[in-house]
Amino acid sequence: MLKKLAGAFVPLLAALVAFALGAIMLLAVGADPIEGFRALISGAFGSSDRLAVTAVRATPLLLVGAGITIAFRASVVNIGGEGQIVSGALLAVIAAQAFPDAPPVVLIPLTCLAGLVGGGIWGAIPGALKAYASVNEILSTIMMNLIAIQLMNYLLRGPLIDPLEIEAGTRIPQTERLSDNAALPIIWNGTRLHLGVLIAILAAVMAWVILWRTPLGFRLRAVGHSPDAARAAGIPVKRSIVTALALSGSLSGLAGTILVFGSESQRMVTDGSSAGFTGSAGFNGIVAALFGGLHPLWTIPSSYLFGGLLTGATHLQRVLQVPAALAVALNGIIVVFVVSSGRARVWIERIGNARSQVSTATPEAGHSEDPANLTEAQS
Amino acid sequence: MKTLLKLLTALLTLSLFAAACGSDGGDTAAPSGDALSMAIVAPSASDDLAFTQSMVDAIAALDRDVDLQVTDGTFVVEEAAAAVRGYAEAGVSVIVVHGTQFGGSLAEIAPDFPNTSFLWGTATDTQGLANVFAYYPAADEGGYVNGVMAAALSAAKSIGVVGPVEAGDAVAYIDGFAAGAEAGGAEVSIVYTGSFGDVALAQETAEGHLANGADVMTGSAQMVAGAVTVAAQNGVAWFGTQANQTDFGPSVVVASQVYHWEVVLEEMLALYDAGTLGGTAYEITLENGGLEIEFNDGFDLSDDIRTLGEETIAGIIDGSISTGQ
Amino acid sequence: MEFFELSVLVATIASGIRLSTPYLLAGLGETIGQRSGVLNLGVDGVMMLSAWFAYWTVLEHNNIWLGMLVGLLVGLVMGLIYAFITVTLGAAQGISGIGIFLFGLGFSDLMFQTKVGTPRPLRSTLGEIDIPLLADIPKVGEALFQHHILTYAAFAFVPAVAWFLHKTTLGLNIRAVGENPQAADSLGISVVRTRYLAILIGNTFAGLAGAALVLRGGIFQPNLTQGLGFIAVALVYFGAWRPTGVMAGAILYGLVQASVLKLKILQVIPRSASDIASMAPAIITIVALVIIAGRVKAPAALTKPFSRH
């Protein structure tokens, strides 16, 4: 009985400890922790405006995360979100510049398609490298990120640069203001909530449909479970690996399109780093996917929660005038504690069991949910 | 999924906790009293001894009461845009948008807040917006002066430049510097490392310049601290820009081109007081005192070279010397 | 072409070796951890934390060795924390690592801004140590034997780690636990204890890598590592979990970086091609792996938490 209570209590305790650590940090820089956490929550969910900001912030996380779940189901790890977002965005920019006068009903799908293709290519390359050259995808996707940053800088300061920038002599890496016909329309008047939010949710649902309702998805999951068994069953393993990474990349590429055409400035602009454009979505999307248990549909609430955390942290920074770095550290603490707390409960239970001399028969996790085993084992 | 539920529990707990504790903390602080309510949105840290610090120091140097809020570290353009919009919505009177890359977003935001004045830099035109002022450093001027002195100082007539990404006022400074140095008969090797923040890469670049025979160096951006350290370790003279960089290398920094934004800030704010919220672009130059070459007294600079520097400054001010930019 | 002049090549090689040092140190540590079956994506964060504390120590006390010790200790402490989370609690390794990364990034930045603010250079830094006799060999001596102590240490660690993994009991246990923890457990090897030790050692290396960055450069900046830790993790895969392989990867990466810089300095690479040239280290790493990759197998239990049943 006590065990059960302890079980329910632990996540709460973990959350409180995480926030206590955060409070200590806030106090150390002279800020009021209560104010801080109020700002964190109200900044994320406190008003319709704030909810819209959270939704917009969560959107690229959701897309990247959903893409990652597809890759993981095929037992492939995709850390290349940043690069895939950038390449998708670049191709979308080119598409918008090629057909600026096309009506929105044509241009918006076109830019989305361009994003899917651009990101898909950037994902297919590491996929092919893994399938046909045995190059580990963790390495190749990390390297592809680095390459994408330089490609982005080259294009944005060169062929794609805003002509006004050259005139002004400032040469910031940005494109010209892109066609209004490609702008994602606002769907909730008075806020910044745009169509991209819906597109992302749709894409996550599509990811689920692909994985569990199509032959392609079945093949990907089979390869994820056991490449040897899949091969024996006649499934083209190498092609499936490429497909998995390509699909994963294309969703990130779509995030790139949405980042450009949902932005304030209606252009692709950065300070010279990829994070300056993506806001590290390629990276935070991994967290969202993992929090969602690597399931596309669960990634929806998890990306919204994590997006809320990020948005709230920005708000906290502004309200309390503390360095932005504190918010980053706080995010890290919360991630660590949340992921630990689930396990802490099991740990306490196990200790309790050991003391009462009863061995808990806990079967080792099969490969059922998480072939790449990046989430917790079910025990 | 279990983890998700944990996260959900955690946040719900917190909401209840926060809701139970008193009233809404409110959004950004409302302006108080007679002080002018201002805000800065900037891409790097407030005390980086470079781009952002120059603006923070300038506002502190203003001869008026300012109620200042700062959002720094916003190198993500959309986040900066959100911060600008947030301050405008909270009723801040004058918002300093300190980053050229934020201009596109500003063009969309400014029209929504016709009663707010936006100061945007570094930029040379206001994009036709009535409530936007622009400010820009004629960084090539100080660059030229530094270049002339560097060439005179360099025995080998070989100078190394460490730059970040080829964008913004870094380019103006470096191009002006190269012009001045070449006018002084030196060869200049310019390397853009490709990153604003990679200190190790900046250090290796500096080492590489030294191996290549350079005996004077300069550079710009946040990562420059690394390059200056290499200069200090090797006793090689360094010229700085954006802020007084003497602290990075007290024994090797010869002079720094310091930005005194307050010179043009005063003018912009005077117009603001009189009811004009924007429409003019300002430049800080050697002439109006917005740019100043601050010499490091700890460096043993020969009088000849110092005079050469001061004459170059005078020449640029009266127009007899052109930096070619 | 000037680049192929001997003196230029020598300087480039020396520069490449300097650049490769932190990659090598961090990579060796990650190799040990991964061999025991634990992936640590938080290396970058650990490096930033150890770099910050080492920097702060030397700033206050002007003692490099103390700074190095502090860096090691920070690595040790973070290793303890990470081991507790992933081994005792069995939490997901990928996400725990990212949490540690975020925490390290933010916390070191925060402490730097509150305690120091404007970056101040260290008064003493790691100087070059010439190895007697060897350093005097013309050209070769310049390239290889005039480095600072942590560079020498990093390369000395390569055979040391290889020997450790293959010739010591703990090393054998680590490898066993990484391949088949069930079997190791039934043989009486404590999986928990072994993994704890592997993670502690691995993170201590990461701590040393962070200290190396700061004690050599003499300055600290927020996000000092710029993703170096992640590249080090990638290099473990490049090196097929062998210390010599990781060394090859680190040297390759550092040499390419150094060559690109040198070519830019010599103006061989024009400014217009500067960005494209900066892609070189990443592209060449991939190409190299394509050329040399055989079928390498990861430690079979990598990323799988162990539970006895």
Side-chain angles (χ1 to χ4, degrees):
Chain A
M1 167 60 185
L2 202 64
K3 247 178 5 206
K4 279 240 158 70
L5 266 181
F9 187 56
V10 165
L12 223 69
L13 186 63
L16 286 176
V17 173
F19 291 117
L21 283 177
I24 293 175
M25 282 200 301
L26 282 168
L27 282 170
V29 295
D32 175 356
I34 307 288
E35 270 306 301
F37 290 116
R38 286 214 53 83
L40 189 68
I41 297 297
S42 72
F45 308 114
S47 70
S48 57
D49 211 32
R50 302 254 118 238
L51 282 171
V53 173
T54 296
V56 169
R57 190 76 197 265
T59 292
L61 302 184
L62 175 56
L63 283 166
V64 174
I68 286 177
T69 64
I70 295 181
F72 279 2
R73 295 288 158 176
S75 218
V76 183
V77 181
N78 181 9
I79 310 195
E82 288 283 298
Q84 289 144 16
I85 293 176
V86 165
S87 37
L90 285 171
L91 203 61
V93 164
I94 293 175
Q97 287 183 328
F99 305 103
D101 300 316
V105 85
V106 168
L107 195 52
I108 293 181
L110 186 64
T111 54
C112 288
L113 185 65
L116 289 167
V117 170
I121 293 175
W122 216 252
I125 295 175
L129 285 171
K130 177 180 168 85
Y132 300 107
S134 308
V135 174
N136 181 281
E137 71 276 19
I138 290 185
L139 180 148
S140 54
T141 50
I142 289 179
M143 294 295 150
M144 291 297 281
N145 285 345
L146 299 175
I147 298 174
I149 294 173
Q150 301 302 335
L151 182 66
M152 174 186 72
N153 276 331
Y154 172 70
L155 288 176
L156 288 183
R157 288 190 312 102
L160 291 180
I161 197 173
D162 187 355
L164 290 175
E165 278 299 314
I166 302 187
E167 249 181 64
T170 39
R171 278 190 264 173
I172 285 295
Q174 70 178 30
T175 65
E176 61 180 3
R177 193 180 186 291
L178 299 164
S179 166
D180 273 323
N181 289 347
L184 292 168
I186 304 277
I187 55 179
W188 187 357
N189 258 326
T191 69
R192 299 221 20 96
L193 194 80
H194 56 65
L195 188 63
V197 171
L198 287 182
I199 295 178
I201 295 180
L202 223 92
V205 172
M206 288 299 303
W208 176 80
V209 165
I210 289 176
L211 279 175
W212 277 281
R213 290 284 184 268
T214 66
L216 170 64
F218 175 77
R219 288 200 292 270
L220 293 179
R221 284 182 297 122
V223 168
H225 273 278
S226 165
D228 292 325
R231 192 174 298 118
I235 294 175
V237 171
K238 292 189 197 241
R239 246 182 32 214
S240 301
I241 290 177
V242 181
T243 309
L245 267 174
L247 277 176
S248 181
S250 61
L251 283 177
S252 298
L254 183 58
T257 302
I258 293 179
L259 278 172
V260 173
F261 295 104
S263 68
E264 280 271 20
S265 56
Q266 274 297 105
R267 52 179 94 210
M268 185 173 178
V269 55
T270 179
D271 66 332
S273 66
S274 71
F277 169 65
T278 66
S280 299
F283 194 75
N284 289 326
I286 300 178
V287 178
L290 290 172
F291 271 152
L294 292 167
H295 190 292
L297 292 180
W298 282 108
T299 308
I300 300 177
S302 87
S303 60
Y304 272 73
L305 280 172
F306 195 55
L309 195 62
L310 294 172
T311 313
T314 318
H315 191 72
L316 182 157
Q317 186 278 319
R318 205 176 318 151
V319 168
L320 291 188
Q321 292 286 291
V322 293
L326 190 146
V328 177
L330 187 61
N331 283 342
I333 292 178
I334 291 176
V335 167
V336 167
F337 271 85
V338 168
V339 82
S340 307
S341 69
R343 302 297 307 175
R345 175 160 83 93
V346 175
W347 182 51
I348 290 178
E349 274 176 11
R350 237 190 258 150
I351 291 180
N353 285 341
R355 269 214 211 106
S356 59
Q357 300 278 321
V358 173
S359 76
T360 320
T362 51
E364 168 100 330
H367 290 266
S368 48
E369 268 190 40
D370 167 31
N373 262 296
L374 267 108
T375 59
E376 41 198 310
Q378 303 291 310
S379 52
Chain B
M1 194 190 102
K2 274 189 186 163
T3 318
L4 183 59
L5 288 176
K6 302 302 171 279
L7 183 55
L8 193 52
T9 315
L11 281 171
L12 279 175
T13 312
L14 191 67
S15 322
L16 293 171
F17 181 58
C21 290
S23 58
D24 183 12
D27 207 328
T28 54
S32 62
D34 293 325
L36 179 64
S37 112
M38 291 182 72
I40 303 178
V41 177
S44 50
S46 308
D47 41 18
D48 57 3
L49 254 198
F51 190 59
T52 301
Q53 177 158 0
S54 61
M55 179 50 77
V56 175
D57 288 347
I59 295 185
L62 285 176
D63 196 16
R64 62 167 74 211
D65 255 340
V66 172
D67 193 5
L68 180 66
Q69 298 176 74
V70 177
T71 294
D72 64 357
T74 57
F75 58 92
V76 183
V77 178
E78 268 312 282
E79 278 182 28
V84 172
R85 193 175 270 281
Y87 281 128
E89 282 166 356
V92 174
S93 314
V94 177
I95 302 177
V96 179
V97 183
H98 196 55
T100 321
Q101 64 267 33
F102 307 145
S105 317
L106 184 61
E108 309 294 319
I109 297 174
D112 290 348
F113 301 95
N115 293 325
T116 311
S117 179
F118 299 90
L119 312 184
W120 174 44
T122 59
T124 52
D125 86 80
T126 63
Q127 303 190 67
L129 298 159
N131 57 345
V132 170
F133 285 109
Y135 55 87
Y136 190 76
D140 54 298
E141 289 184 8
Y144 192 90
V145 174
N146 277 357
V148 164
M149 287 196 286
L153 202 55
S154 166
K157 296 292 176 241
S158 167
I159 304 176
V161 179
V162 182
V165 176
E166 194 175 344
D169 61 328
V171 179
Y173 171 74
I174 289 175
D175 287 345
F177 182 92
E182 278 157 17
E187 246 187 60
V188 181
S189 170
I190 303 173
V191 174
Y192 287 99
T193 62
S195 159
F196 280 105
D198 199 334
V199 173
L201 214 55
Q203 284 175 327
E204 279 308 316
T205 308
E207 295 273 3
H209 278 313
L210 294 180
N212 201 34
D215 56 3
V216 178
M217 290 197 291
T218 187
S220 85
Q222 297 88 286
M223 50 78 185
V224 90
V228 186
T229 317
V230 169
Q233 284 166 353
N234 289 276
V236 167
W238 177 275
F239 286 85
T241 184
Q242 290 181 337
N244 189 325
Q245 296 185 335
T246 301
D247 285 341
F248 282 155
S251 58
V252 294
V253 173
V254 180
S256 309
Q257 171 181 225
V258 178
Y259 290 0
H260 289 292
W261 297 112
E262 58 271 25
V263 165
V264 291
L265 278 181
E266 295 281 8
E267 291 189 47
M268 289 187 263
L269 291 176
L271 279 180
Y272 174 82
D273 288 337
T276 306
L277 298 179
T280 320
Y282 290 90
E283 236 189 6
I284 49 172
T285 62
L286 288 171
E287 189 193 345
N288 66 13
L291 290 178
E292 194 184 328
I293 304 291
E294 283 181 18
F295 289 90
N296 171 20
D297 294 325
F299 184 88
D300 189 18
L301 186 64
S302 80
D303 290 332
D304 288 339
I305 301 184
R306 178 134 187 175
T307 314
L308 177 61
E310 282 161 3
E311 281 171 6
T312 313
I313 295 175
I316 293 179
I317 290 178
D318 69 24
S320 55
I321 299 183
S322 151
T323 66
Q325 305 308 313
Chain C
M1 198 211 301
E2 228 188 309
F3 181 70
F4 292 107
E5 249 173 66
L6 198 53
S7 56
V8 174
L9 283 176
V10 163
T12 307
I13 293 175
S15 174
I17 292 185
R18 271 196 301 274
L19 282 170
S20 69
T21 302
Y23 292 99
L24 181 54
L25 284 170
L28 284 174
E30 179 71 13
T31 302
I32 296 176
Q34 286 203 14
R35 277 293 192 119
S36 79
V38 179
L39 167 72
N40 182 8
L41 286 180
V43 180
D44 214 38
V46 174
M47 285 179 67
M48 282 188 266
L49 283 170
S50 68
W52 154 250
F53 281 106
Y55 171 75
W56 195 23
T57 307
V58 181
L59 212 56
E60 300 288 313
H61 303 285
N62 203 24
N63 184 334
I64 303 181
W65 306 106
L66 195 59
M68 210 183 291
L69 189 63
V70 168
L72 281 171
L73 285 174
V74 170
L76 201 68
V77 169
M78 292 310 294
L80 211 57
I81 294 175
Y82 191 70
F84 179 72
I85 294 172
T86 52
V87 178
T88 304
L89 295 183
Q93 291 168 14
I95 194 173
S96 312
I98 293 180
I100 298 277
F101 161 67
L102 289 174
F103 172 68
L105 172 64
F107 193 70
S108 60
D109 189 350
L110 183 65
M111 289 228 67
F112 174 73
Q113 287 192 40
T114 36
K115 293 289 175 194
V116 176
T118 304
R120 273 182 285 146
L122 295 177
R123 270 167 294 145
S124 32
T125 57
L126 284 174
E128 274 169 13
I129 299 178
D130 294 350
I131 297 195
L133 289 184
L134 288 173
D136 294 325
I137 304 176
K139 300 308 171 191
V140 175
E142 258 178 74
L144 301 180
F145 301 111
Q146 292 177 5
H147 289 285
H148 64 85
I149 192 164
L150 284 178
T151 303
Y152 295 132
F155 283 91
F157 276 126
V158 174
V161 170
W163 176 82
F164 167 73
L165 283 175
H166 290 274
K167 296 280 195 266
T168 66
T169 316
L170 180 56
L172 284 165
N173 289 352
I174 287 176
R175 285 186 298 127
V177 155
E179 287 301 327
N180 192 337
Q182 250 62 38
D185 182 48
S186 64
L187 284 173
I189 300 174
S190 163
V191 176
V192 168
R193 204 179 80 100
T194 308
R195 281 185 170 169
Y196 255 86
L197 285 170
I199 294 171
L200 280 176
I201 298 174
N203 277 278
T204 308
F205 269 95
L208 197 57
L213 263 185
V214 123
L215 293 177
R216 152 85 181 135
I219 195 107
F220 183 85
Q221 290 272 6
N223 197 2
L224 184 70
T225 50
Q226 301 277 310
L228 196 159
F230 290 97
I231 298 177
V233 173
L235 289 176
V236 172
Y237 294 92
F238 180 94
W241 295 272
R242 287 196 292 264
T244 41
V246 175
M247 178 181 78
I251 292 180
L252 178 68
Y253 202 82
L255 270 179
V256 176
Q257 276 188 318
S259 305
V260 168
L261 277 180
K262 183 62 76 179
L263 289 171
K264 285 187 189 180
I265 289 173
L266 293 176
Q267 308 288 307
V268 173
I269 296 179
R271 273 156 69 170
S272 53
S274 181
D275 300 312
I276 305 286
S278 297
M279 292 182 195
I283 294 180
I284 292 183
T285 304
I286 293 181
V287 169
L289 194 52
V290 169
I291 293 174
I292 68 173
R295 280 245 135 224
V296 281
K297 299 234 57 190
L302 186 58
T303 76
K304 300 188 181 90
F306 171 70
S307 64
R308 174 183 288 171
H309 59 270

